[in-house]
Amino acid sequence: MTILDVKGVKKTYVPRFGGAPVEALRGVSFSAEEGEYVAIMGESGSGKTTLLNILAALDRPTAGTVTLDGMDLGKIREDRVAAFRRESLGFVFQEFNLLDTFTVEDNILLPLVLANQPAGKMRQRLKPLVERLGIADLLKKYPYEISGGQKQRAAVARALITNPRLLLADEPTGALDSRATDELLALFERVNRAGQTILMVTHSVKAASHASRVLFIKDGELFHQIYRGDMDNERFYERIAQALTLLTTGGEKA
Amino acid sequence: MKGLYRRLAFGAMRKNYRYYLPYILACLGMTGMYFILAALSEGEILLSFRGGDIMRTILHLGCGVLMVFSLLFLFYTNAFLLRRRKKEFGLYNVLGMGKRHLMGVCLWEGVSVALLSILGGILLGLLFSKAAELLMVHLLGMRTDFRLRINVAAMLQTAAVFGVIHLLLLLHTLYQVARTDPLSLLRSESAGEKPPRANFLAALLGAVLLGLAYYLAVSIEDPVTALIWFFVAVILVILGTYLLFISGSVALCRLLQKNKRYYYKTNHFVSVSTMAFRMKRNGAGLASICILCTMVLVMLASTVCLYIGSTDSLMQRYPRQILLSARLGALSAEEEEALEALRTAALTETAQCGLAPENTLEYHLLEASVYRRGEDAHVAGTAPYDEESELWELRIAPLSDYERLTGETVDLADDEALYFATQGRVLEEETLRLQGGPALRIAGQAEEIPALGDDVANVSPVLYLFVPNFEEVALPLLALTNSEGSSLADISWTLGFDTDGTDQEQMLLYEDISQALEALKFDLPEDSYVHARVECRAEQQEGFYSLYGGLFFLGVTLGIVFLFAAVLMIYYKQISEGYEDRARFDIMQRVGMTRREIRRSINSQVLTVFFLPMLTAGLHLCFAFPLLYRLLILFGVMDFALLMQTTALCFLAFALLYTVVYRVTSGAYYRIVSGVGRGEA
């Protein structure tokens, strides 16, 4: 079943003080199936982040539609967007984006509190989740007291606690050392195997090699895509690396 | 290289204008205000004015206060600026500038700010000094011309004082740059912040101190005690406020967080936890703002009240234009004769001046100091002082004088008395036993009495007794002597009258009567005496207005300075928090908070942070009120309603201004916070 459908999405920024309009996205189309693990790769300035912001309903496309779970994001009323984001989407960022004024526990509970869930129900959801992610004994700590890998796991817990339809990750391994990166990627794989749809924007070939499909974006357009098929991670890694070389040396569109 | 320092220094100041502009304005304002006060106090205008000495003393006091305050305040703001600049210094360091070079930049910056603010401040002061002079002249009831006087001595003084302050600021900055490692500064702003820990003990201590101060303020009845304890109460309030703002607020947030049902609600969750951090960072700043606000309010309320009430207290102190009074050792025929001579002398001089006395006031009083303890009153000097009694001034007057002066008729039995007590005191006892005399039944309290004179500002409470049989009550007291045989009580006689003359004529008359009194010789028994003196309201009023008007002037000017200091602190707080909240704002939006919810949450926090100091200042003022009332009694202002009105008005005006400041600075805050673009991450 198709969970995410992106059709002909364009985004043009008009500079505030005149000047030529900048086309960040020039018509991107793709879709993702339920339970898929999709990585989006591309160089800086290729339009990855713009695309992610549009998928997150933080930004609206100039043209084209994004349909999540049968719902057209462009048609959601402004005052429902936040609730939609809260209920259907989970976010993981490069810089973790934990609120430094909250304990780990409160950071994870934040989306539920915003959704006005009763305190009892929150505990019920929190407990199994933090045990699965191995952060059960960090709950009372503040973000500044824990390591980067732990912060990112807390951020994943915050993203997952609402059981979102789609987990959006923006360069999630970007600020982690190699050990923490491995741990996080293993975690994403486990979560995905349990049925969670994931869409991850990344620079890292290693991170992308854990996905089931990789999309390549160049200059605001979808350039290429590779399916894992029955390749193992190492083989897939090589294929992605080749595709990237092609991308940067300016090959023709696939 | 030299040019580079200058360019870097000026460039940084231009780029950080949001921080530098208010700082420079504050320097300018403080310098200007100091110059104005200095110029007024040294100016020739006060030389020609009777009572100018008092005004000069008050202005000197103001200069001193302003100097100390400027030093503290500019250090505070400079430290704030320095914190913001550390990151920039770190960057320069990475780019290859050594500490010496950074110091060069700081030197340029410090010297240019100092020059600009001292020269500009003096210029600003010059521009406004005429306005200030006119205000002062008006308050003091003097006259002046419209010439602009340029006071070089005051300029030098101002330049010296602020030159030293800026030098200290510069040394502090250089020390900071030298001491810290600029490389670590590059990261300093993003370093994780420790979560606030609630210090319940400190919070409790703060509450206890504040409670103690409030209790002192409310429970003290005696003005002199009030004066002594006033400063204790002030210190307690300051300590209590700081402790409560710094620890109490965090402790409160922590308690709220422990209550899961309250805490995990959308509108409490974010506010409570962010508040804990906000208060940890800003508790001291907010407490300072609160103290400043309280100072402004107390100062304005009391000086305005004093100034408005000054005519009243002048009238109370000098109930008639000319007051002739005498102290007598006894009240026999010889003294009566002497009084007649005084009376005649005064009236003759008045007639010779071509004036006619009117509105004449004449009365006798027996005066003594007594130790009161319950129903007993012992004349001071007859018995050793014991700790449980209180020193009162006793005045006994014939009831007939009271009736004649007030036009009322009072029916009293022979052993009864009507009383009046100053300082708003009330007699609780039903009878009063005077030493050596009969027990008097207290029949009632007089609402007010025609003339208080000196007793207006007597530090001891003064008890007036009006008795039907004056001789029987008064004479036994008059006979009392101390161990050395000198009399402990005496009779005072007062004759007061108004004339239709101008102030000038009244003062001439006063001179004439004084000379006539000196010429008078009395024929008296050996153990008796008649000490006569004359007072003139017109002669005293300038000193009076000089004191009250001067205090008012100082209250207003210092009030303005403190107020602007508070405003500046609020402004800095707002913009620095704006930058901190910006990132938080962005994250919350991503995890699914609507813009409206975020705005509401931030709004409520900003409102709390903003109005907490003002409301606390209001509370402080409420509790300070009884104490203020007692203190003003020492200045002869006893109008409770007036103090109430001026206090309420001052608070209202202040609240209005504060709200305007809030509107303006929260605008700056929202501009910073909403600078967050949707796509920025």
Side-chain angles (χ1 to χ4, degrees):
Chain A
M1 180 196 153
T2 303
I3 192 167
L4 176 72
D5 195 20
V6 178
K7 277 207 187 102
V9 166
K10 287 186 185 171
K11 181 70 188 179
T12 312
Y13 290 107
V14 182
R16 202 185 301 174
F17 303 109
V22 179
E23 282 190 302
L25 293 176
R26 314 180 179 188
V28 173
S29 302
F30 71 95
S31 61
E33 297 298 307
E34 176 146 29
E36 232 189 327
Y37 184 175
V38 181
I40 299 177
M41 295 195 79
E43 290 187 36
S44 301
S46 62
K48 288 175 307 189
T49 303
T50 307
L51 179 62
L52 199 72
N53 280 334
I54 289 175
L55 296 182
L58 284 166
D59 208 348
R60 288 182 186 247
T62 317
T65 57
V66 177
T67 315
L68 180 69
D69 220 8
M71 191 162 17
D72 184 349
L73 293 196
K75 294 214 169 77
I76 304 177
R77 289 213 327 268
E78 188 69 40
D79 55 335
R80 284 286 306 149
V81 166
F84 162 78
R85 207 178 291 143
R86 201 161 60 213
E87 286 154 16
S88 311
L89 301 174
F91 292 91
V92 178
F93 308 93
Q94 175 175 359
E95 292 295 338
F96 324 126
N97 279 355
L98 294 177
L99 291 167
D100 51 4
T101 57
F102 284 116
T103 57
V104 168
E105 177 180 17
D106 289 348
N107 262 298
I108 298 172
L109 289 179
L110 182 64
L112 294 185
V113 177
L114 292 178
N116 267 323
Q117 299 277 353
K121 199 171 168 193
M122 291 184 200
R123 312 249 144 249
Q124 278 174 22
R125 285 219 210 163
L126 182 69
K127 207 162 166 272
L129 182 65
V130 293
E131 274 167 12
R132 205 162 48 142
L133 298 184
I135 48 173
D137 35 353
L138 300 178
L139 288 183
K140 294 296 170 201
K141 299 225 155 127
Y142 279 84
Y144 94 99
E145 294 171 302
I146 61 178
S147 73
Q150 290 169 326
K151 279 186 206 172
Q152 197 58 298
R153 271 182 282 158
V156 172
R158 180 179 66 188
L160 292 178
I161 197 155
T162 54
N163 296 327
R165 300 291 293 149
L166 180 64
L167 180 67
L168 293 173
D170 185 1
E171 212 66 81
T173 58
L176 299 180
D177 59 34
S178 66
R179 217 182 107 224
T181 300
D182 289 341
E183 279 175 12
L184 185 80
L185 291 174
L187 178 68
F188 268 26
E189 245 176 286
R190 257 190 294 145
V191 170
N192 174 245
R193 235 176 279 131
Q196 177 67 54
T197 315
I198 301 177
L199 198 132
M200 171 172 68
V201 167
T202 185
H203 257 111
S204 151
V205 180
K206 186 173 178 185
S209 71
H210 284 251
S212 53
R213 176 159 55 121
V214 182
L215 304 176
F216 297 90
I217 289 189
K218 187 181 182 183
D219 299 331
E221 283 175 286
L222 202 58
F223 180 80
H224 186 49
Q225 65 172 334
I226 323 174
Y227 282 89
R228 173 195 287 271
D230 49 8
M231 281 181 268
D232 60 9
N233 281 359
E234 273 163 43
R235 178 94 185 80
F236 197 36
Y237 184 101
E238 276 169 34
R239 282 291 309 278
I240 297 167
Q242 285 167 10
L244 265 186
T245 318
L246 197 65
L247 187 77
T248 42
T249 52
E252 284 305 301
K253 191 174 165 183
Chain B
M1 201 63 195
K2 282 277 176 314
L4 178 68
Y5 291 164
R6 201 190 60 224
R7 276 204 307 281
L8 279 177
F10 289 164
M13 278 152 71
R14 248 201 313 279
K15 206 175 73 213
N16 293 315
Y17 75 95
R18 271 197 181 137
Y19 297 104
Y20 271 90
L21 192 64
Y23 173 65
I24 293 175
L25 286 181
C27 290
L28 278 175
M30 298 265 178
T31 316
M33 200 55 112
Y34 185 88
F35 172 74
I36 290 175
L37 291 186
L40 287 182
S41 75
E42 301 302 329
E44 56 192 274
I45 183 97
L46 282 177
L47 291 178
S48 58
F49 175 64
R50 299 162 61 90
D53 290 348
I54 301 175
M55 188 67 201
R56 187 170 300 120
T57 313
I58 292 174
L59 287 173
H60 277 310
L61 181 75
C63 281
V65 171
L66 199 58
M67 187 169 73
V68 174
F69 183 74
S70 298
L71 182 69
L72 294 178
F73 183 72
L74 292 181
F75 253 89
Y76 172 88
T77 38
N78 187 54
F80 181 87
L81 288 183
L82 207 58
R83 260 207 309 282
R84 306 292 313 181
R85 302 255 353 241
K86 280 185 176 174
K87 195 172 173 176
E88 197 183 326
F89 287 157
L91 183 65
Y92 288 154
N93 195 251
V94 170
L95 295 179
M97 287 174 80
K99 280 193 178 164
R100 284 177 45 125
H101 305 116
L102 288 180
M103 285 181 174
V105 175
C106 288
L107 196 69
W108 259 102
E109 234 175 78
V111 170
S112 48
V113 169
L115 283 181
L116 180 71
S117 67
I118 291 176
L119 294 180
I122 290 179
L123 197 68
L124 198 73
L126 266 180
L127 284 179
F128 284 97
S129 65
K130 193 66 203 178
E133 186 185 300
L134 289 176
L135 175 69
M136 178 179 83
V137 162
H138 176 76
L139 289 178
L140 266 49
M142 316 188 291
R143 271 185 215 20
T144 185
D145 49 36
F146 284 84
R147 252 177 49 224
L148 183 66
R149 293 175 186 82
I150 293 177
N151 192 324
V152 180
M155 278 183 192
L156 292 178
Q157 187 188 336
T158 310
V161 166
F162 280 85
V164 169
I165 290 181
H166 280 288
L167 185 67
L168 290 175
L169 287 173
L170 185 62
L171 288 178
H172 174 73
T173 308
L174 293 181
Y175 172 71
Q176 287 288 327
V177 171
R179 204 193 53 165
T180 42
D181 165 23
L183 258 182
S184 72
L185 295 180
L186 194 56
R187 296 186 292 267
S188 69
E189 258 191 331
S190 57
E193 189 180 2
K194 288 191 177 176
R197 303 257 177 253
N199 188 342
F200 287 96
L201 198 68
L204 194 70
L205 185 66
V208 168
L209 289 182
L210 201 59
L212 203 64
Y214 282 175
Y215 174 75
L216 276 180
V218 175
S219 64
I220 290 177
E221 294 220 333
D222 162 36
V224 182
T225 323
L227 187 63
I228 298 163
W229 286 94
F230 181 75
F231 295 101
V232 177
V234 166
I235 289 168
L236 285 180
V237 164
I238 290 177
L239 287 178
T241 308
Y242 272 98
L243 283 174
L244 273 185
F245 269 83
I246 294 169
S247 305
S249 53
V250 175
L252 181 70
C253 289
R254 284 283 174 251
L255 281 181
L256 289 178
Q257 279 180 325
K258 289 221 171 94
N259 181 351
K260 301 283 177 208
R261 200 163 289 161
Y262 174 87
Y263 179 47
Y264 288 107
K265 287 271 179 285
T266 313
N267 32 358
H268 301 153
F269 191 61
V270 177
S271 307
V272 170
S273 63
T274 323
M275 265 320 263
F277 274 80
R278 235 178 247 264
M279 291 310 291
K280 179 195 155 218
R281 268 198 306 271
N282 296 312
L286 289 179
S288 310
I289 293 174
C290 174
I291 299 290
L292 275 182
C293 292
T294 315
M295 268 160 69
V296 170
L297 284 170
V298 166
M299 213 158 53
L300 274 184
S302 51
T303 53
V304 169
C305 182
L306 268 182
Y307 181 67
I308 296 176
S310 60
T311 310
D312 273 358
S313 44
L314 182 68
M315 289 300 167
Q316 275 194 320
R317 173 64 186 82
Y318 303 103
R320 296 293 186 269
Q321 288 172 357
I322 301 289
L323 285 172
L324 186 62
S325 58
R327 291 187 165 277
L328 320 172
L331 202 55
S332 54
E334 285 89 347
E335 283 87 8
E336 291 286 6
E337 224 167 86
L339 291 186
E340 187 52 44
L342 287 175
R343 205 177 284 132
T344 318
L347 295 181
T348 318
E349 294 301 332
T350 312
Q352 276 177 5
C353 286
L355 298 172
E358 54 191 40
N359 216 359
T360 309
L361 173 85
E362 187 176 353
Y363 58 88
H364 291 84
L365 287 173
L366 174 121
E367 299 190 352
S369 302
V370 294
Y371 287 122
R372 273 201 58 216
R373 182 181 182 177
E375 295 185 345
D376 287 302
H378 283 275
V379 174
T382 56
Y385 171 71
D386 71 288
E387 299 230 324
E388 281 163 51
S389 29
E390 188 185 5
L391 183 66
W392 282 61
E393 290 296 324
L394 180 68
R395 311 275 182 264
I396 303 176
L399 185 65
S400 53
D401 278 4
Y402 178 80
E403 288 179 324
R404 181 166 48 78
L405 292 172
T406 57
E408 290 172 34
T409 326
V410 189
D411 268 330
L412 289 184
D414 274 359
D415 62 343
E416 285 183 326
L418 190 67
Y419 86 95
F420 174 86
T422 58
Q423 302 180 0
R425 298 294 198 94
V426 173
L427 278 194
E428 267 146 34
E429 292 78 15
E430 282 178 5
T431 52
L432 196 66
R433 271 192 302 277
L434 296 177
Q435 185 178 15
L440 291 170
R441 239 176 46 75
I442 303 299
Q445 187 179 9
E447 294 274 316
E448 55 184 321
I449 58 172
L452 274 171
D454 271 348
D455 288 339
V456 168
N458 205 316
V459 293
S460 304
V462 184
L463 177 67
Y464 282 80
L465 290 175
F466 302 102
V467 294
N469 46 351
F470 179 68
E471 315 240 316
E472 211 174 296
V473 180
L475 290 182
L477 292 176
L478 218 47
L480 292 172
T481 55
N482 64 7
S483 51
E484 283 153 27
S486 51
S487 164
L488 292 171
D490 48 16
I491 300 279
S492 84
W493 166 84
T494 305
L495 170 70
F497 55 86
D498 290 337
T499 64
D500 48 2
T502 60
D503 282 0
Q504 222 57 47
E505 290 171 320
Q506 288 171 37
M507 280 193 266
L508 283 178
L509 172 59
Y510 160 74
E511 300 288 335
D512 290 350
I513 297 179
S514 304
Q515 280 165 19
L517 289 190
E518 274 174 34
L520 278 183
K521 289 274 181 295
F522 305 116
D523 185 18
L524 293 169
E526 235 176 62
D527 58 342
S528 187
Y529 51 88
V530 173
H531 301 306
R533 63 170 177 160
V534 63
E535 292 170 317
C536 170
R537 189 198 293 158
E539 197 249 346
Q540 295 293 331
Q541 69 187 8
E542 284 174 333
F544 231 77
Y545 287 133
S546 180
L547 175 64
Y548 289 30
L551 285 175
F552 179 52
F553 182 76
L554 196 66
V556 170
T557 45
L558 287 186
I560 290 173
V561 171
F562 290 165
L563 191 68
F564 279 103
V567 166
L568 198 68
M569 286 168 82
I570 290 166
Y571 174 80
Y572 275 141
K573 244 182 42 45
Q574 291 275 69
I575 54 173
S576 62
E577 287 197 354
Y579 285 115
E580 284 162 12
D581 287 343
R582 199 170 150 156
R584 219 167 278 144
F585 198 82
D586 199 39
I587 299 174
M588 286 184 195
Q589 205 184 342
R590 279 167 191 263
V591 289
M593 216 167 163
T594 60
R595 284 189 155 241
R596 235 183 77 228
E597 277 171 339
I598 296 172
R599 205 182 160 97
R600 208 166 48 205
S601 156
I602 287 193
N603 222 342
S604 80
Q605 292 171 47
V606 170
L607 272 178
T608 314
V609 164
F610 211 84
F611 285 97
L612 198 64
M614 191 187 81
L615 293 178
T616 316
L619 189 69
H620 286 349
L621 187 64
C622 284
F623 278 95
F625 187 80
L627 205 57
L628 271 189
Y629 177 60
R630 310 270 170 229
L631 287 180
L632 288 187
I633 285 175
L634 289 180
F635 287 88
V637 176
M638 270 170 273
D639 196 336
F640 190 81
L642 177 69
L643 181 62
M644 199 84 151
Q645 283 160 10
T646 51
T647 309
L649 268 179
C650 284
F651 187 74
L652 281 183
F654 180 76
L656 194 73
L657 202 72
Y658 199 83
T659 313
V660 170
V661 172
Y662 165 71
R663 302 292 303 185
V664 174
T665 59
S666 65
Y669 173 84
Y670 280 120
R671 262 198 302 286
I672 292 168
V673 168
S674 59
V676 145
R678 290 180 147 203
E680 275 178 49

